[in-house]
Amino acid sequence: MPTTQFDKESIKQAIIGKLQRYNGKTLEDATQQQIYYAVASTVRDQIMQKWVAYKEQEKHDDGKKLYYLSVEFLTGRSLYCNILNMCSVGNYKQALKELGIDLKDVLPEEPEPGLGNGGLGRLAACFMDSLASLSLPATGCTIRYEYGLFRQKLIDGQQVEVPDNWLDNGNVWEVPAPEDTCEVHFGGHVETYEDAGRIMYYLKDYQTVEAVPYDVPVVGYDCSTVNTLRMWRARSPKSLDFASFSSGDYIKAMKEQELAAVISKVLYPEDNHYEGKELRLKQHYFFTSATLQYALKDFKRRFGGNLKLLPEKVTIHINDTHPGLAIPELMRILIDEEGMGWEEAEAIVRKTVAYTNHTIMPEALERWPERMMQKLLPRIYMILQEINRRLCARLADIYHNGTDPRIARMAVTAYDMVHMANLCVDMSYSVNGVSQLHGKILQEVTFRDFYELQPRKFSAITNGITHRRWLMAANGGLTSLITETIGDSWVKQPEQLSLLLPARDDAAFRERFEAVKHSNKVRFANFIKARQGIDVDPDTMFDVQAKRLHEYKRQLLNAVHIMVLYNRIMDDPNFEMQPRTFIFGAKASPAYYMAKQIIRMILSISKMIDRSPRAKKMLNVVFLENYDVSSAEVLMPAADLSEQLSTAGREASGTGNMKFMMNGAVTIGTMDGANVEIYDQVGQENIYIFGMRSNTVRDLEQSGGYAPIHIYETNTELRRALTAIIDGSLTPQNPAMLQDIYHNLLFSDPYFVLKDFGSYSMAQRRVNDDYQNREKWLRMAITNTAMSGIFSSDRTIREYNEKIWHLR
Ligand code: 26Q
């Protein structure tokens, strides 16, 4: 095998050579973008070498393989993390320096792959990094969206969506694999024939869409593993239909082509919310079917035709229900194409597919109209019906009653809808939640009936984040300080970060920790100044809430509290507080009216404060435009306070909470999702917990006895703040602008903003006081970083492997 060197001198030569060959330019004349491309393709050459070697070695491996299916992989930029994982940061920095280039200036040239909405997609990306770094054989499978999540602009105090054409200048990291192109079939109808006394099914008059794979290498940290992220692109099989072309129906020929390609055109921008759009269902089946065809092809290459071995050699993990059609699709392939009987096929599927649930929000549970499923995927629909028939028969048997209400709750098809979660729970060998509390709620509430029958199928595995991207890449200052203090064992064993704990007692260390935090705040200040022209003062407390805009995440609680602080300042000339910069980062789904109103409210609060020189001294509210992975990498290290305010029981886990913690921010939060585990790690003196517990929330919901208006009537401060929403104080140009928020809070408040307000406000008073005690605050911050090791996704992946996958 030809090998190339990647020492400093070779890197320099490679970059200069590429600029010459690709662009006909010398280094002096090249644009930043061309330099980025030359550097990235040099890194790619280095990865390719490892990738080829790894695939070669993998050919002789007869172990189990994981396919991780997810409709989103929110990877963010790759250049720096790839260099980091190849342990070549020093080499590249030095090589570039000698060419007169700063690596830091090259990185922002990489287009941001925003192939995900939020937590679920980012988790998939962290998992890929950990799988490779733990040398576990895994392939991630998804859709190669031509347009990722929209870019957010803030114009005239509102969110405006702009298309994300991330592929316009090409993607250095992907390699097409046309040899694995396959067909996916839609529509048509099912016909039967008899073969040796058995009825066989096949699809007729269907439409074909071709699935073309593009592979992205996923480099493990300091190891030989290079896994693959496979992204499927949809394409029409007819390059040009000459029949309709010559008959003059050119437009029709082009239309058909476009219709096929539209499947991989754009990522749906809904997060934690289900919408029954047909194109979305097409997307799900498209990448799931292509992936399963590929997985079986690879299985046969490795083991020949003995499909009984499948569960021993392949595990299909579905990231939420979105790839849940993997279940009937695998049944279809085994029965219709491999000639297997139903029972045998079912037994294989039941040992091959594992499912993770990511949400308890009822409006996010995936359901499809039976008619849509039948029209679009007639054979799959038949299989779903048969799965349902057998499930209901089993249940009627167990309950000795065919009309037991539990049967309708657990059915795969009921009331004209296909219930994807029920399908996944019934047919998977493993069902897991993403935090301890979430796992418990799945067992006790969401999937209670299933849990009573098969408790051993269920588990809870707390999410994690890759410390390589979220600490080592995002926070070089803290990374160096940690390694100077405790050595570098934590890099491979992140739980060793706890060795840092004693250093909180060391005044000199605290000072250095504070200096790192301060320089990260300066970096963020420069970042937001350059992008939005906004001034923030790094000497104020940075209080950050960054996550998708959703009512259950309660950005409103934060916003209302800022209004209360504003009034305290305006009412009392002697009022003093620790000056704070409130930073929000959040995209709202384009069709989510309330979420967009909340953005308008936050921007209005910011303006209201700017009108008062006195308030301005203590409060600053900034909305970071277009919050994405790259801006999170600048924001997390700069945060002092992490806002995790979801109504208890609603946030399955949260992962932003872990990123803040690892970077030394202290959490103010409810006992929800993984906040509970953070609390367990740092202890009550190092976190600000407030609000109702999840069981209290559930009781209150079930009793139906919550009247927010009573709280409004009895809490003067709150009443004043809420009134300001509609009396023109907040939005003088249009006093009615935010009235829906006001009415929602007063007369409905489904997420208990007013109910938890008092407790939140008290917790915030303690934050204010403690922050001014520098020693106390720094001890808390250090404790958070030191105890964050278990939130590395390496730990999460090890747990998945021990409990679910059993790879190698
Ligand atoms: C489903 C069907 C049709 C259309 C859209 C959807 C859909 C899309 C995205 C449903 C849900 C989502 C996203 C869910 C999500 O991001 N959940 C988050 O997952 C994180 C990782 O486990 C958790 O940390 C978060 O708590 C959870 O909200």
Side-chain angles (χ1 to χ4, degrees), residues 120 270 272-274 280 322 358 366 463 552 651-654:
L120 169 138
E270 273 83 41
N272 269 306
H273 182 78
Y274 157 82
R280 171 123 199 170
H322 317 148
H358 293 269
E366 195 186 354
N463 280 167
Y552 85 81
E651 191 70 274
S653 159

Side-chain angles (χ1 to χ4, degrees), residues 229-462:
L229 172 60
R230 174 158 276 206
M231 309 188 293
W232 298 96
R233 180 171 76 89
R235 166 179 93 179
S236 161
K238 304 175 197 123
S239 54
L240 196 70
D241 181 349
F242 277 100
S244 28
F245 186 67
S246 31
S247 74
D249 213 345
Y250 180 70
I251 299 296
K252 187 181 160 224
M254 293 308 282
K255 267 222 176 95
E256 239 175 74
Q257 196 162 352
E258 272 169 29
L259 239 48
V262 84
I263 291 179
S264 56
K265 190 64 82 182
V266 60
L267 168 77
Y268 274 93
E270 273 83 41
D271 176 276
N272 269 306
H273 182 78
Y274 157 82
E275 252 194 295
K277 292 268 163 46
E278 184 175 290
L279 182 59
R280 171 123 199 170
L281 179 56
K282 278 190 186 167
Q283 289 186 333
H284 291 180
Y285 183 65
F286 166 75
F287 94 98
T288 302
S289 171
T291 298
L292 278 170
Q293 293 180 53
Y294 168 65
L296 282 171
K297 179 167 139 185
D298 192 59
F299 171 85
K300 285 183 176 173
R301 184 188 56 73
R302 292 201 298 154
F303 305 105
N306 182 10
L307 288 160
K308 280 199 179 60
L309 270 182
L310 194 71
E312 203 181 300
K313 301 298 183 189
V314 170
T315 236
I316 307 279
H317 200 99
I318 54 177
N319 199 26
D320 216 299
T321 57
H322 317 148
L325 293 176
I327 291 162
E329 176 66 0
L330 185 53
M331 293 292 292
R332 184 192 67 79
I333 296 174
L334 294 177
I335 295 169
D336 296 359
E337 292 178 13
E338 303 295 337
M340 223 176 248
W342 179 280
E343 279 77 15
E344 201 186 349
E346 184 182 322
I348 289 175
V349 172
R350 284 184 179 282
K351 283 184 268 176
T352 307
V353 180
Y355 157 56
T356 300
N357 174 286
H358 293 269
T359 186
I360 20 203
M361 300 288 292
E363 68 258 38
L365 288 181
E366 195 186 354
R367 294 178 291 124
W368 297 101
E370 285 190 60
R371 286 190 40 216
M372 188 190 288
M373 189 72 82
Q374 177 165 34
K375 194 192 91 192
L376 205 63
L377 304 167
R379 178 58 183 142
I380 292 300
Y381 177 66
M382 277 179 79
I383 293 169
L384 290 171
Q385 280 188 309
E386 181 62 13
I387 291 173
N388 182 58
R389 193 188 64 76
R390 288 170 182 252
L391 168 64
C392 293
R394 268 197 325 274
L395 294 175
D397 216 41
I398 292 167
Y399 301 136
H400 309 292
N401 174 3
T403 60
D404 189 289
R406 285 172 288 191
I407 302 179
R409 291 206 296 258
M410 298 165 82
V412 174
T413 59
Y415 307 108
D416 303 324
M417 297 293 255
V418 178
H419 294 255
M420 294 301 290
N422 287 351
L423 170 72
C424 295
V425 174
D426 176 44
M427 292 292 288
S428 299
Y429 69 87
S430 159
V431 177
N432 76 285
V434 290
S435 69
Q436 300 310 303
L437 177 63
H438 173 55
K440 196 166 118 83
I441 293 173
L442 289 184
Q443 297 177 6
E444 291 176 0
V445 185
T446 320
F447 300 136
R448 177 188 179 148
D449 303 320
F450 284 107
Y451 177 71
E452 279 168 0
L453 298 178
Q454 294 173 297
R456 288 160 47 103
K457 215 188 230 191
F458 289 80
S459 62
I461 303 182
T462 304

